[in-house]
Amino acid sequence: MRKVFGFTAAEFVPAPEAVLRAQGVKRDRAADPRTAGLCTEALGLLEGLARPTGLLQELSRADFAAVYCGEGRNAERSPLAEIAPRAERLALFALTLGAPVTERIASLFAAGDFALAAMLDAAASESAELIADSLQRNYARALGETGGLNGQTRLLRYSPGYCGWHLSGQGALFAALRPAAIGITLRESYLMEPLKSISGVIVAGPGAIHSFADDYPFCADCDTRGCRQRIRTILQS
Ligand code: SF4
């Protein structure tokens, strides 16, 4: 399966509360009118400028093992290295909000409109995560339609640069996925162009394979412990 997906505004425009939280407004506090106004303006810009597109391509466990090796700079042990060999299905993915959003953020910063630039930047980051969630749901739906999903199958995604998968893994991922087809290219630094893009692998398999302890050596430097919530969510679904 190799497939390109588009996304509707309902899928990619984040809730104002999520953007305000990302900007430091506490969950139980109302934003002041100026901040709330900036958020509304940023979301309007995002909806008008975004060209969200995602690309998904399945590959075998053996092919993913080669992609994961990349330049050989991964952590000695990592969740993905232990989970992927037990996956039922694997799919590389890349998605982007498109260049116009990134360009507007840069032009706002260049013009000194830092408040709106930062709000649009936060909205775009939230939006990219929403698109990743939506792409994952689309993959689950496609698996369901082709009989590749049973009641126990759960999906979780991983990206180079996180959880022991070295950022240089982007090179092998891009060589296998070829996301230039949807306008995403890789800089020498392994950052993606446009900047508001996400790449990685979606792992589909029994819920139990996704559960792991957060005691890898690199976890000591992890502030978010984001895997805990993600694992809880998929195991409860
Ligand atoms: S604790 Fe952080 S670094 Fe460790 S696996 Fe979870 S998300 Fe990754």
Side-chain angles (χ1 to χ4, degrees):
M1 179 197 306
R2 177 178 170 89
K3 208 167 170 185
V4 173
F5 295 90
F7 303 91
T8 65
E11 291 172 299
F12 75 78
V13 177
E17 296 75 22
V19 179
L20 290 167
R21 271 206 303 280
Q23 283 289 76
V25 176
K26 293 208 176 344
R27 191 180 289 268
D28 52 351
R29 297 264 174 85
D32 64 75
R34 179 170 177 272
T35 305
L38 279 171
C39 184
T40 303
E41 189 176 354
L43 289 174
L45 283 173
L46 176 74
E47 184 168 351
L49 292 168
R51 308 281 180 271
T53 315
L55 171 65
L56 191 91
Q57 179 177 304
E58 285 198 298
L59 74 176
S60 67
R61 286 191 293 257
D63 286 345
F64 179 70
V67 168
Y68 181 72
C69 272
E71 298 180 2
R73 298 165 71 184
N74 296 330
E76 209 168 298
R77 288 178 54 241
S78 76
L80 188 52
E82 291 159 21
I83 293 164
R86 295 186 284 155
E88 292 166 344
R89 306 280 283 261
L90 293 157
L92 299 178
F93 73 91
L95 58 92
T96 184
L97 282 184
V101 173
T102 306
E103 288 165 0
R104 181 61 68 89
I105 293 168
S107 69
L108 286 167
F109 274 119
D113 195 345
F114 300 114
L116 183 57
M119 192 67 81
L120 182 56
D121 187 75
S125 294
E126 291 293 317
S127 178
E129 290 297 331
L130 287 181
I131 295 169
D133 290 344
S134 198
L135 187 71
Q136 191 168 305
R137 282 195 297 275
N138 286 341
Y139 182 40
R141 199 170 304 125
L143 287 179
E145 287 166 2
T146 56
L149 195 69
N150 65 53
Q152 308 306 312
T153 305
R154 300 288 180 271
L155 279 67
L156 206 58
R157 62 179 182 272
Y158 295 83
S159 293
Y162 298 92
C163 308
W165 189 1
H166 196 272
L167 185 61
S168 62
Q170 290 274 56
L173 190 156
F174 268 61
L177 181 61
R178 292 169 284 119
I182 59 165
I184 308 176
T185 55
L186 201 58
R187 297 178 183 174
E188 265 185 41
S189 62
Y190 301 114
L191 288 179
M192 288 176 279
E193 187 80 46
L195 281 176
K196 296 299 178 187
S197 301
I198 300 177
S199 63
V201 64
I202 302 175
V203 181
I209 71 167
H210 296 295
S211 185
F212 57 84
D214 52 347
D215 59 0
Y216 296 89
F218 47 79
C219 296
D221 301 321
C222 177
D223 295 331
T224 64
R225 301 267 156 175
C227 61
R228 301 300 91 192
Q229 181 59 38
R230 288 198 296 276
I231 291 170
R232 263 197 304 277
T233 301
I234 64 161
L235 293 184
Q236 287 165 3
S237 62

